[in-house]
Each structure stands twice: as structure tokens, then as C-alpha cells.
Amino acid sequence: EQAEFGITSQDGVLKVNGTRFNLKAAAWFGFETDNYCVHGLWAVDYHSIVDFMANYSFNGVRLPFSAYLALNNPMPVSINFYQMNEDLQNLTSLQVLDKIIDAFADAGIVVMLDMHSLESGGYMQDGLWYDSNYPQSTTLKAWNIMVDRYKNQWNVVAADVFNEPFSATWGTGDTSTDFNTWCETVGNDMHSNGVDWLIVCEGVATSPPCSDACFWGEDLQGVRTAPVTLNTANKVVYSPHVYGPDVANQAYFDAANFPDNMPAIWTTHWGYIRAMNNSATTVGEWGGSLNGKDGTWMNAFASYLVENDTPDTWFWCVNPDSGDTGGLLENDWTTPVIPKLNLLQTVQPHPTKVTPQKGDICVDFRS
């Protein structure tokens, strides 16, 4: 029997039963790659990653997948079954995902499913949420499959509509490129199919144009005049992706007053949404090295998240094999990267504790 557990987006923040929910989350990627499975299971049992996140008080995980994976449900590769992951043998990719989501449920960790690409590993090519091989109807069908599969899974609470649609527009009236309209289409379709998930809308990249360069997924300037509006109230979340010089150098990182110049830039791109006190903002990706200029950026960004009252984030990432950012684990997939974990602790010092108990979901807001 499934307990009811729903998160709402209102008054600029996330809430459960009207009380603010403090999210502390990170991404664990791999299902969107040619492994067709989260990475690291060649080195550790999947429960060890879940335990690591629970031990450091994470209460959310972002799980990227591809439309290809949802539609074709291939067999995963690169899972080590010797003295680990034995219960994943002979399972399809989505059956492995079921197991992992269940393990996160037992740990009180909520899940955001993230359509990260169309083809496996295709995120650098996918400027829009569809192409000639994946028309919009097919992309929507991929989401329908995930909705049907997880509609009764209490800890699946959010859908990241599409990752970094860098060729998309926002609020122009052209439905073939307006991402805000696609978020409405997907969100209303999901809610009509029996889930009450948060509909998580990343930014675009150049629409409206950024006077200071926006990262892919960071441009949410259009929300000011064209907010996403769903038939179901209190379910829209805005989720910019924000990075420092390790991911891409920008002119503003070389300014004489860096990093003091950054808060105004972040506020213009997306930070202003918090003060509208309507839909919540949860940064969907941020991360990088704590050394050199990127370390300066990381610390400045962490301070901004606190000062802007937007401390709910989905950090990129748990994986050590993210080339430009590194992760929260060392290359052995077991040793915690303590400086990054300490930084996340300063951003979200009191994550809400969620505990499943005998068919109920207990939420401790004092943790």
C-alpha cells in the first residue's frame, strides 16, 4: 500500500503539507549513457551509493535518463555482480531503475526523473526536446512510460522536463521552440495521467538574450513575462543550471571585481524569481572544483544561494567520472570528497528528514 506524499511549490519555496521542505539533493548519472544504468556499479553495490547519500543527509536524487532508454528498455552493461549487485542480475535497465528507486525510498530520499537526452549520450546535440528521430509525440510517449511505471511510487516526486534545451526559445509564441509551452504540455499531460509530480522547468540559453552569457539551462529571464502555467496549482518549479570557469569560461569570470560581480548576474538570469514568491526555484545543476578560480566561484555561489533564500539544489554530481566537475566521491566510488560535502552543508544545513514507516511517510522539519 502506497502512502500519499506530495511536494508543492508555493510562496517561492517547496512545501509539504504547508510547511517548508528543505531539499538537499544531488545527481547520480548513467541511465542516459550507453551503460543504460547509473555509473559506478562496476565498483560498488548500488546500496552503498544510497547509504552514502543518506549518511550525509541528502533527501533528494536527480536520476537522468534518455528517451531511448524509456522507449526501448535495453539491458544494462558494466554492472559487477561478483559479491555485489546480485539482485540486479538479468534485469532490464528499467527494472534496475525500479530497484534503485526502491532503495532510495527505503532511505527516505525523493527522486526527480530527468529526461537528459533523446539518444543515449546525446545531450550535447539536443538543442530541443525533439528531432527527426524523436518527434514531440515520441518524447511525450517516453514520459508517459515513466509516468505509468512510477505513478504509485511515493518517492518519485518530480519530472525535469528536458535537460538544457540550448536551442529553445521562451515566451515567443512559437510552440515549435518555446520551452515554456512544452513544459505546460508535458506537465498537464502528466497530471491528467494520475501523478501529482512537480514539473521542473530548466531555463534555456539565449531567449530572451542574456546581456552576460548564460550557461545552457540558466536563462530564465522569460519567466518575468511568460511564467509556466499548469492546470494543477502549485506544481511548477524553475531549475537553472549554473556553472563556473571549469565548465566554460565567460568574460565575467575575468572581471576585475570577480566574484563580487556575480550576484547581480545570477539575479538577472534567474535569481529574481525567488522574490516573486510564487513558484519555487531549485538550482538543477551546479558543481566543480574547489581549487583556483573555480573554487572562488563555488564559494561565492554557495553564499549567494543562502543570501537569495534559494538553498534547495540538485548538485552535480555524486559521480567521480564527471570530467569537468568531478563529484562527491573519489574515483574509488567510496571515499567522500569532504570539502564539497562541507560546502553543501553550509548551503542547506537543515535538510528535511523523510522516513517511511509502515505505510506512512514521516517528515521531520526540525532536522
Side-chain angles (χ1 to χ4, degrees):
E1 185 175 327
Q2 291 292 339
E4 285 295 314
F5 179 81
I7 300 178
T8 55
S9 169
Q10 54 193 124
D11 306 321
V13 298
L14 301 176
K15 294 190 174 184
V16 171
N17 294 344
T19 301
R20 185 165 182 173
F21 182 88
N22 295 327
L23 176 75
K24 179 182 178 181
W28 180 15
F29 71 79
F31 278 103
E32 82 290 4
T33 69
D34 289 333
N35 298 78
Y36 308 127
C37 179
V38 280
H39 287 185
L41 301 190
W42 54 77
V44 295
D45 186 273
Y46 69 96
H47 291 94
S48 74
I49 305 291
V50 175
D51 292 345
F52 159 73
M53 295 186 73
N55 289 341
Y56 283 94
S57 302
F58 286 90
N59 57 13
V61 63
R62 178 175 180 245
L63 295 176
F65 70 97
S66 66
Y68 174 87
L69 182 114
L71 293 161
N72 295 283
N73 195 13
M75 295 299 292
V77 296
S78 73
I79 299 177
N80 182 353
F81 302 118
Y82 180 67
Q83 296 182 343
M84 62 179 78
N85 300 310
E86 287 107 331
D87 58 330
L88 304 183
Q89 291 187 73
N90 303 314
L91 300 186
T92 66
S93 288
L94 290 177
Q95 288 172 327
V96 171
L97 181 57
D98 297 344
K99 289 270 195 180
I100 287 169
I101 290 175
D102 270 335
F104 278 119
D106 291 342
I109 294 173
V110 301
V111 172
M112 175 165 74
L113 297 172
D114 152 43
M115 189 180 285
H116 209 73
S117 61
L118 300 172
E119 295 284 2
S120 295
Y123 64 97
M124 295 296 287
Q125 289 79 51
D126 295 333
L128 294 169
W129 56 92
Y130 65 95
D131 64 15
S132 55
N133 294 322
Y134 293 81
Q136 297 189 67
S137 58
T138 301
T139 307
L140 191 61
K141 182 184 175 189
W143 266 127
N144 291 155
I145 289 168
M146 301 304 265
V147 166
D148 287 343
R149 193 170 190 100
Y150 297 114
K151 61 172 51 170
N152 294 318
Q153 183 74 29
W154 73 266
N155 65 319
V156 177
V157 299
D160 193 340
V161 174
F162 197 79
N163 184 69
E164 298 181 359
F166 55 85
S167 301
T169 53
W170 191 292
T172 68
D174 183 349
T175 56
S176 69
T177 59
D178 270 357
F179 188 57
N180 56 305
T181 306
W182 181 244
C183 289
E184 293 170 350
T185 298
V186 171
N188 287 331
D189 187 73
M190 287 184 172
H191 292 153
S192 70
N193 283 322
V195 294
D196 66 350
W197 296 350
L198 296 168
I199 304 304
V200 178
C201 307
E202 298 182 26
V204 292
T206 59
S207 173
C210 297
S211 56
D212 296 289
C214 285
F215 279 82
W216 288 359
E218 189 189 3
D219 186 358
L220 283 162
Q221 297 172 107
V223 171
R224 203 183 287 279
T225 53
V228 174
T229 306
L230 300 174
N231 297 334
T232 304
N234 302 329
K235 288 294 176 181
V236 175
V237 175
Y238 297 111
S239 194
H241 290 189
V242 196
Y243 281 111
D246 276 6
V247 171
N249 203 39
Q250 311 286 6
Y252 44 73
F253 298 147
D254 294 323
N257 61 338
F258 174 82
D260 297 340
N261 60 326
M262 294 307 307
I265 293 169
W266 294 322
T267 296
T268 297
H269 292 169
W270 55 271
Y272 73 91
I273 295 171
R274 173 65 186 89
M276 294 167 72
N277 285 318
N278 188 355
S279 296
T281 302
T282 67
V283 171
E285 287 187 19
W286 67 289
S289 166
L290 287 177
N291 302 320
K293 184 181 276 188
D294 205 81
T296 302
W297 184 94
M298 289 278 285
N299 282 287
F301 189 66
S303 296
Y304 177 79
L305 289 169
V306 174
E307 290 159 12
N308 197 51
D309 194 25
T310 47
D312 301 329
T313 71
W314 312 83
F315 189 78
W316 188 271
C317 55
V318 172
N319 304 50
D321 60 338
S322 174
D324 50 3
T325 65
L328 295 173
L329 290 170
E330 299 285 6
N331 288 331
D332 60 4
W333 286 90
T334 57
T335 306
V337 179
I338 298 300
K340 287 189 187 182
L341 290 161
N342 287 345
L343 186 64
L344 289 178
Q345 174 76 14
T346 69
V347 172
Q348 187 58 278
H350 304 293
T352 302
K353 186 165 178 58
V354 181
T355 311
Q357 289 180 345
K358 297 176 186 161
D360 290 322
I361 309 301
C362 301
V363 183
D364 180 1
F365 297 102
R366 301 160 303 170
S367 48

